Amino acid sequence: LDVVLRGPPDLAAHTQDLARLPVVLPDGTVVEAGGLADVGLWAGPVEIRRIDRARTVSLEIRPPADVPLETAMRLLEERVIAPLAAEGLPEGVAMRLSGTADRLAETFRALRTDLLLAVAIVFLAMAASFESLRIPLAVMVAVPLGAAGGVIGLVLVDRFVHPQPLDMLTMLGFVILVGVVVNNAILLADRVQRRLAEPGVELREALGGAVRDRLRTIFMTTLTSVFGMLPLVVAPGAGSELYRGIGAVVVGGLALSSVFVLFTVPPLLNLVLPRRVRAEEPAAAPEPAGAAGAGATGR
């Protein structure tokens, strides 16, 4: 219930008049309120907020537009919260970041889990397709190469195109990149397996033939994907800042991984694949004529 206490306007027109308000004691004596209590002016909270049944005082901090939220969180942790915690807080008092900063930290944790889950699912899918655990290990080298390319692409866009922070949508681009950059390595590994299935083909010969056979395909698919997503990176307009980070990560990751996959996956396959060669089936030897005649004579 909202309770409003109103005094007579002719007795207390100003704040300092409160001390001169008459108070009637039980014996009929009239004294001023200033003689019974200390009347002063203090600042207090407009409302009492509670979070998880604990009384809470919130301090809202808005970083400048050119300071990323993650940088502001790190500055607060290092320069405000850590020194106060080192000096020692009163009993029952604790500090923590909440609001947008808390949601950012929670989202980062969820994205890390999603990234690890995406890597595991891609690995298991390739292991089921190749019926081997060694070939997916060689193929998965494209993932760190793609991540490095995504970081390089993000830095180039931030420096030469438009300032681009590492926001949530940009982090989502790295999750997408896990399932995209392994395609070229899968093409090479599949072609090597098919070449090894042919009679009399050695491993080194199969690796060289797979690279020659898939080189044009890899560059065609990579160039179409890169040029298809390039407008997301360089095209201005309303809303372009939402998808510029995803485009920069995917374009950079595809471009770098497609080049280095040709130099890293074949040597790794050379290490993990068996060096056996499928022997050619010998032709059936003709049966001697004498043996056939002897058999006929015996019968």
Side-chain angles (χ1 to χ4, degrees):
L1 299 177
D2 294 332
V3 178
V4 181
L5 181 62
R6 296 182 182 274
D10 55 340
L11 295 179
H14 302 88
T15 306
Q16 58 269 23
D17 295 337
L18 294 175
R20 295 195 292 268
L21 287 176
V23 178
V24 180
L25 300 181
D27 59 356
T29 306
V30 178
V31 298
E32 293 183 348
L36 301 176
D38 294 330
V39 181
L41 185 63
W42 291 272
V46 179
E47 61 179 355
I48 298 177
R49 298 185 59 194
R50 294 184 180 272
I51 298 178
D52 296 333
R53 297 184 178 181
R55 186 168 177 174
T56 304
V57 176
S58 300
L59 178 61
E60 183 178 354
I61 300 175
R62 296 184 180 183
D66 56 344
V67 177
L69 181 58
E70 187 177 5
T71 303
M73 292 171 55
R74 186 175 65 252
L75 291 176
L76 287 174
E77 290 282 357
E78 295 176 354
R79 300 184 182 182
V80 178
I81 297 179
L84 289 177
E87 293 178 1
L89 296 174
E91 184 179 357
V93 178
M95 290 187 302
R96 68 182 180 91
L97 296 175
S98 61
T100 305
D102 191 22
R103 291 193 295 270
L104 178 65
E106 183 180 354
T107 307
F108 265 120
R109 290 192 295 267
L111 281 176
R112 284 198 297 266
T113 304
D114 294 343
L115 186 60
L116 295 176
L117 184 61
V119 172
I121 291 176
V122 170
F123 179 82
L124 293 177
M126 288 191 296
S129 300
F130 288 111
E131 298 181 353
S132 171
L133 293 177
R134 294 176 295 178
I135 296 179
L137 287 176
V139 172
M140 291 300 290
V141 73
V143 174
L145 291 175
V151 173
I152 293 174
L154 196 62
V155 171
L156 293 177
V157 169
D158 181 72
R159 180 168 299 181
F160 298 107
V161 180
H162 192 276
Q164 178 61 47
L166 186 62
D167 52 14
M168 294 296 102
L169 289 177
T170 305
M171 290 290 294
L172 185 61
F174 285 97
V175 179
I176 298 172
L177 202 60
V178 173
V180 175
V181 296
V182 296
N183 292 336
N184 295 330
I186 290 174
L187 286 176
L188 284 177
D190 179 70
R191 186 56 180 167
V192 170
Q193 273 196 328
R194 292 179 182 273
R195 291 294 295 265
L196 287 176
E198 299 175 1
V201 178
E202 297 182 354
L203 178 58
R204 189 175 297 272
E205 180 184 355
L207 291 171
V211 173
R212 288 192 300 270
D213 294 342
R214 296 304 185 191
L215 184 63
R216 179 180 298 180
T217 305
I218 288 174
F219 277 107
M220 287 175 61
T221 54
T222 301
L223 289 176
T224 53
S225 301
V226 167
F227 284 110
M229 298 195 69
L230 203 58
L232 289 179
V233 181
V234 298
S240 60
E241 65 277 1
L242 294 177
Y243 306 104
R244 187 181 293 115
I246 294 181
V249 169
V250 176
V251 169
L254 273 178
L256 186 68
S257 65
S258 298
V259 174
F260 282 96
V261 154
L262 299 174
F263 299 98
T264 57
V265 172
L268 291 175
L269 291 176
N270 188 38
L271 295 175
V272 301
L273 286 177
R275 298 178 179 276
R276 58 182 176 82
V277 180
R278 181 180 175 183
E280 297 183 6
E281 296 180 0
E287 188 177 358
T297 303
R299 287 193 297 270

